[in-house]
Amino acid sequence: MPRVNRRSTLFGLTTLAASGLGTGCSRAEQTQSPERPRSDLYACEGCEAIDERNPLELSPSATLAGPDEPGQRMRLSGRVYAVDGVTPVEGVVIYAHHTNVEGLYANGTPDSEWSRRNGRLRGWVRTDVDGQYAFDTIKPAPYPDMTMPAHVHLYVKEPGRRTYYVDDVVFDGEFKVDAAYRAAQELRGGSGIVRLGAGSDGVLTAVRDIRLEPHPG
């Protein structure tokens, strides 16, 4: 199931770790957005990690996994839009992290709690004038206990706003990304279900556009 059930699984397995094509979702899934702010919008364990970097020092692209990291290369990219779903938004910080090819959040550093928990494959970007962002990385693997599909966690922070998470990136048609998963999506920031493509260089491509959520107040 999507994000709600992921949290307890995530932190249990984190302990273990420490020892160009469009999305595959329908237009309705891409555009649906709550009319009012979500009551739990800021209920976001781990959101503190987004503040570990100075936004003014970030660029629209970042490398999560270097060339020596085992796994199939993947570029995750997209655009961030305002609540209207049309207007690109500049200056939004996005924090991403995911498992390695063994399904673990492994090899974090003691720099911070979230570096330890989230592992080595993590990074930050700030959207450009067209709302664009990109992460160069590898395709993650599902958790070893196979309770969740392979996924990439995304958190967003708009200028002058508090951080919140959006639906994880998952891969259409792959393990556990089925009708039940689709039906259970929260659609936070739009659907996180993407269809993988491949560039001429063999790098997988995943496009995850994000529609910002309305804030209270």
Side-chain angles (χ1 to χ4, degrees):
M1 288 297 102
R3 196 103 181 187
V4 170
N5 294 333
R6 177 187 60 76
R7 286 297 179 181
S8 59
T9 304
L10 165 62
F11 291 107
L13 284 166
T14 304
T15 302
L16 174 62
S19 9
L21 292 178
T23 65
C25 60
S26 69
R27 181 173 295 275
E29 287 173 338
Q30 293 183 55
T31 59
Q32 183 175 342
S33 180
E35 295 181 1
R36 300 187 183 90
R38 299 180 193 270
S39 61
D40 63 346
L41 180 64
Y42 304 131
C44 181
E45 188 168 12
C47 275
E48 301 92 332
I50 208 166
D51 295 319
E52 292 180 355
R53 295 294 184 274
N54 182 348
L56 299 180
E57 297 176 355
L58 300 176
S59 70
S61 63
T63 298
L64 306 188
D68 296 330
E69 183 71 28
Q72 190 167 11
R73 304 301 304 178
M74 181 181 78
R75 168 164 268 224
L76 170 62
S77 64
R79 283 188 174 176
V80 174
Y81 294 97
V83 176
D84 63 14
V86 176
T87 308
V89 182
E90 182 182 10
V92 175
V93 175
I94 305 173
Y95 172 66
H97 75 93
H98 62 77
T99 63
N100 62 16
V101 291
E102 297 178 337
L104 300 174
Y105 300 102
N107 304 117
T109 69
D111 296 346
S112 71
E113 176 183 3
W114 300 109
S115 179
R116 294 190 300 273
R117 289 195 182 196
N118 295 168
R120 178 179 64 249
L121 304 180
R122 67 184 198 130
W124 300 255
V125 294
R126 184 170 60 120
T127 57
D128 67 13
V129 68
D130 295 314
Q132 297 180 111
Y133 75 92
F135 292 104
D136 290 303
T137 188
I138 60 162
K139 184 184 175 188
Y143 296 146
D145 65 1
M146 304 301 281
T147 54
M148 287 286 296
H151 56 282
V152 180
H153 302 300
L154 295 179
Y155 304 78
V156 298
K157 186 171 187 178
E158 306 161 48
R161 297 288 195 175
R162 292 173 62 183
T163 305
Y164 57 93
Y165 70 80
V166 297
D167 276 15
D168 298 336
V169 175
V170 297
F171 308 109
D172 193 29
E174 297 200 356
F175 173 72
K176 279 189 175 290
V177 185
D178 51 19
Y181 187 99
R182 190 180 297 276
Q185 292 180 98
E186 292 183 275
L187 298 176
R188 296 179 71 121
S191 175
I193 300 175
V194 306
R195 182 177 298 121
L196 285 170
S200 58
D201 55 2
V203 175
L204 297 174
T205 58
V207 178
R208 191 343 181 168
D209 291 339
I210 296 169
R211 181 173 179 164
L212 296 173
E213 297 273 329
H215 291 264

